[in-house]
Amino acid sequence: MNVAQIPKDFCYPDGMISVDQARAFILDRARVVTETEIVDVFASLGRVLAEAHVSPIDVPGYANSAMDGYAVRSADFKQKGEARLEITQRITAGVMGEVIGPGEAARIFTGAPVPEGADAVVMQERCQADGDFVTIPGPIPAGENIRPRGNDILAGREVLPRGIRMRPQEMGLAASVGLAQLSVFRKLKVAIFSTGDELVKPGEPLPTGKIYNSNRYTLTGLLIALGCEILDLGMVEDTLEATQRAFKEAASRADVIVTSGGVSVGEEDHVRAAVEAIGNIELWRVAVKPGKPLAYGRIGEADFLGLPGNPVSTLVTFCLFVRPFLLKRQGGAEVLPKPYPVRAAFEWRKATRRREFARARLLREDGEAPKAEIFPKQGSDVLTSTVWAEGVVEIPEGARVESGDTILFYPFADLLY
């Protein structure tokens, strides 16, 4: 990759700041909610833990068999060759067996408790059963195919740290140690509303010169995926006075206000003017593409994040800036997405001052590492590119990319949820 990297702390002459500066600035202003609540594990998906949880038990709580077979005493296999053992019992999962004595074996199944006296389990494929007896080739080492007590978790160990965001696997882990309820931070209240005389609600006739309001649906989906409580104030008349009223209502009811469009300097862009009239804007222009007119400010106690109006810009800037901010506000410990290095299956000839995030998906060929190809149209209005893509590739400021260069890929799976 041919890169003339612009320093991360560089201040652009036109007032723009870098992606890294903007993200650090916004995250530094993310105030974690303090209120907590107790929820059932069943209802914990996507919630952030307000306190660490330790296991009250060992998991498993007893030595158990790792497979179907026969529980035996390794001492019965001191010599090479076969041992013929009497089958004295049958042990299934959840059943405690009797003591195994010399010359005895127990038919046992996966997950079943290993009986006292036995110190190995021989897989059934190696055994020859004959009525009440089984012939097993030796030697058999002690511990074979046995999961010891506490093999997964020891009592008193922290299993779920504070600040972790619950996924299905964390829900299962909580249940595995007997936790039925968890302490989580309350849901973040996020207000959204739409402005713009050109916007039409889907399902209604579309006059010439109008467009359907896609951003409202994109933002709703993004916020639901992050577990936020959404306050949708609907369509707001495209005037400065109406926009101010909407912001006042939103600020009185929500923790965060997220809008799309109206943060540029045009005469009909009322969002920025409305915020500055009743609050303040602390950040405005970021050297990112798609994006740039990205605003952060405060109205009373509510945070304001103003996204650009083009549909791809709305999605990408939400993923890069708003998602980490909301996760931190919810108490999340890990909030930044982690990119993966891949090879480029494209060329990027035009170097720009802004960091670019191109919609991409991975080409997977047998025996080769994945390569990233990009959508042929990278305009911020081309929403189909986000459906076609599996994520975005990062092209640094001042960079040109040749096919085969190593670049960073951010999967949508890590950006949207």
Side-chain angles (χ1 to χ4, degrees), residues 99 111 170 203 356:
V99 176
E170 279 84 19
E356 301 203 32

Side-chain angles (χ1 to χ4, degrees), residues 88-123:
T88 58
Q89 54 187 307
R90 185 175 184 272
I91 308 173
T92 58
V95 175
M96 295 299 297
E98 303 294 332
V99 176
I100 291 287
E104 296 179 346
R107 181 72 167 110
I108 196 168
F109 297 89
T110 303
V114 175
E116 185 178 348
D119 62 359
V121 172
V122 185
M123 60 191 301

Side-chain angles (χ1 to χ4, degrees), residues 131-153:
D132 293 335
F133 291 87
V134 61
T135 301
I136 302 174
I140 302 298
E144 181 173 286
N145 298 322
I146 290 180
R147 302 168 180 148
R149 177 175 179 146
N151 184 57
D152 185 14
I153 301 168

Side-chain angles (χ1 to χ4, degrees), residues 374-396:
I374 61 174
F375 195 74
K377 295 181 180 181
Q378 288 291 325
S380 59
D381 62 320
V382 185
L383 193 56
T384 51
S385 67
T386 65
V387 176
W388 172 91
E390 296 175 338
V392 296
V393 290
E394 180 178 349
I395 301 171

